Amino acid sequence: MAAPSTRCLIGPVPFKDVCPDGDGDGDHVSATEEYGDILVSTLPSVTSHGVLLRQYQGAWLAHHRVPGVISIQRRFEPRRGDVLLASSPKCGTTWLKALCFATMARAAYPAGAAEHPLHRLNPHECVPFLDDLFSAGQEGKLEALPSPRLMHTHMQHHLLPSSVANNPDCKIIYVCRDPKDMLVSLWLFARTILPCEDFSEMFESACQGKVIDGPIWDHVAGYWRASKASPERVMFLRYEQMLLDPVATVRALAGFLGVSFFPAEEAAGSPADIAKLCSLETLKGATGNNTGSTGAFFKFPHQTYFRKGVVGDWVNYMTPEMAQRFDSIVQDKLRGSGLTF
Ligand code: A3P
């Protein structure tokens, strides 16, 4: 099917509708070779949850994503009105993508409509993942998206180029989660397709900060500080609070993005419709999430992005001693920041 013309469209539109092969299936260029001055293979490394990680500027990045992060730092050109979603893996990225897409695009795609894109597409097919896209040398695809563009990164805040981090015309929405639940979710997710070690081994690495896009405490602290410094530009969300009141979350997202609901939309139940459309139950049952896979480098089946979606599942995988140890490491690292879990 030919890509639809985007000439008259207002963003965001589903990425996959504009670029049918998304961030995955086009020809990859070997981005690694582009960076003769930074030899990715000489960076410190560790293997965790079946992924080779490299330490780059203090962060533990998947080996294959280092070139992408460097490319983003060197040549990503934000547009006025771009919205960047940011998260550590397994903290509610998929949900945040769905909520923001549905909220921002509600004029073109009413949440209650049977033909809403989130019924046929996985949220990761609607909102492009910059890190993989740049690593695969496919960032040119972003040009096809009409503004405002909605995009996502797993990069820590200090890795973002200044053109994004200090851009008054580019908003950032960050979601975090109790790091214990994040770890458990990551381990269960990774082992669906990767040769994952025992949970206890991954836990030991995580205690040293060696987990994908970690250290976890640095990831949250960077966006936390940025949101404190510029609350009008950086929104800091917690997965647990979103679960408590998804409809209030939708309203807060709309307000932050400058697209608050009109009284008529409120009266018609639009915020509740969006929350329902993006709920775990609805997305789990959607056609687009029961077939296909996502990812430029590892192909994760769409259904693996939806599991329990609860708070405190760590209790089924960690002993009280492990939890206490991890909590005290995180607490120690975040001391003085004003952020606690
Ligand atoms: P669990 O593994 O604890 O169930 P990410 O999207 O960053 O990969 O995070 C995945 C986690 O978010 C998984 O947590 C998944 O179940 C949960 N999740 C996915 N979609 C969700 C939704 N619509 N609402 C709430 N949680 C969701």
Side-chain angles (χ1 to χ4, degrees), residues 87-96 98 124 154 175 177 181-182 184-186 188-189 239 243 277-281 283-284 304-310 313:
S87 61
S88 261
K90 314 320 293 174
C91 288
T93 315
T94 314
W95 191 18
L96 185 64
H124 297 280
H154 281 318
V175 63
R177 183 182 197 186
D181 280 337
M182 175 255 171
V184 166
S185 183
L186 174 65
L188 293 169
F189 176 72
Y239 180 81
L243 275 182
L277 171 69
C278 301
S279 68
L280 186 70
E281 297 67 36
L283 292 184
K284 229 180 197 176
T304 58
Y305 287 91
F306 309 95
R307 199 180 63 91
K308 280 190 180 175
V310 297
D313 196 35

Side-chain angles (χ1 to χ4, degrees), residues 141-310:
K141 291 177 175 178
L142 293 170
E143 293 311 312
L145 288 173
S147 292
R149 297 180 300 185
L150 179 62
M151 299 165 287
H152 169 255
T153 184
H154 281 318
M155 289 166 74
Q156 291 194 22
H157 189 268
H158 77 275
L159 294 178
L160 295 178
S162 168
S163 60
V164 174
N166 302 312
N167 188 336
D169 296 322
C170 178
K171 292 198 175 189
I172 297 174
I173 303 177
Y174 182 72
V175 63
C176 72
R177 183 182 197 186
D178 180 333
K180 300 191 294 304
D181 280 337
M182 175 255 171
L183 270 192
V184 166
S185 183
L186 174 65
W187 183 69
L188 293 169
F189 176 72
R191 72 205 288 258
T192 58
I193 65 163
L194 297 170
C196 221
E197 68 273 49
D198 287 347
F199 180 75
S200 58
E201 288 174 60
M202 191 190 93
F203 176 82
E204 284 304 322
S205 296
C207 286
Q208 298 167 37
K210 296 173 183 174
V211 66
I212 191 163
D213 297 299
I216 296 169
W217 41 86
D218 287 346
H219 210 295
V220 288
Y223 286 95
W224 171 253
R225 281 194 297 267
S227 76
K228 288 285 147 205
S230 311
E232 71 295 343
R233 269 199 323 105
V234 183
M235 185 181 201
F236 189 92
L237 295 172
R238 289 170 181 260
Y239 180 81
E240 295 78 8
Q241 280 174 358
M242 291 166 67
L243 275 182
L244 283 178
D245 196 340
V247 180
T249 301
V250 170
R251 287 199 186 97
L253 285 170
F256 175 76
L257 291 166
V259 291
S260 293
F261 291 91
F262 294 113
E265 290 183 297
E266 283 286 352
S270 177
D273 284 349
I274 291 174
K276 185 164 178 237
L277 171 69
C278 301
S279 68
L280 186 70
E281 297 67 36
T282 307
L283 292 184
K284 229 180 197 176
T287 320
N289 294 321
N290 284 293
T291 53
S293 57
T294 285
F297 296 90
F298 298 123
K299 294 271 173 218
F300 282 96
H302 287 157
Q303 61 266 38
T304 58
Y305 287 91
F306 309 95
R307 199 180 63 91
K308 280 190 180 175
V310 297

Side-chain angles (χ1 to χ4, degrees), residues 28-165:
H28 292 187
V29 300
S30 178
T32 313
E33 288 167 18
E34 282 180 53
Y35 300 109
D37 56 333
I38 298 176
L39 277 180
V40 176
S41 57
T42 62
L43 295 171
S45 69
V46 68
T47 297
S48 182
H49 43 82
V51 180
L52 175 63
L53 306 179
R54 296 277 180 193
Q55 192 177 34
Y56 174 69
Q57 295 185 350
W60 288 98
L61 307 176
H63 172 90
H64 60 271
R65 280 196 200 134
V66 179
V69 168
I70 298 170
S71 304
I72 291 168
Q73 291 179 328
R74 293 184 180 180
R75 56 169 196 258
F76 177 62
E77 290 180 14
R79 282 190 212 151
R80 189 183 171 82
D82 277 352
V83 175
L84 186 63
L85 309 181
S87 61
S88 261
K90 314 320 293 174
C91 288
T93 315
T94 314
W95 191 18
L96 185 64
K97 284 187 175 189
L99 288 169
C100 289
F101 177 80
T103 300
M104 289 175 73
R106 66 188 189 268
Y109 311 110
E115 63 278 11
H116 194 284
L118 286 171
H119 290 304
R120 65 183 164 85
L121 298 174
N122 177 269
H124 297 280
E125 295 176 316
C126 292
V127 181
F129 177 38
L130 293 185
D131 317 14
D132 265 9
L133 208 54
F134 275 78
S135 270
Q138 296 183 11
E139 68 269 22
K141 291 177 175 178
L142 293 170
E143 293 311 312
L145 288 173
S147 292
R149 297 180 300 185
L150 179 62
M151 299 165 287
H152 169 255
T153 184
H154 281 318
M155 289 166 74
Q156 291 194 22
H157 189 268
H158 77 275
L159 294 178
L160 295 178
S162 168
S163 60
V164 174

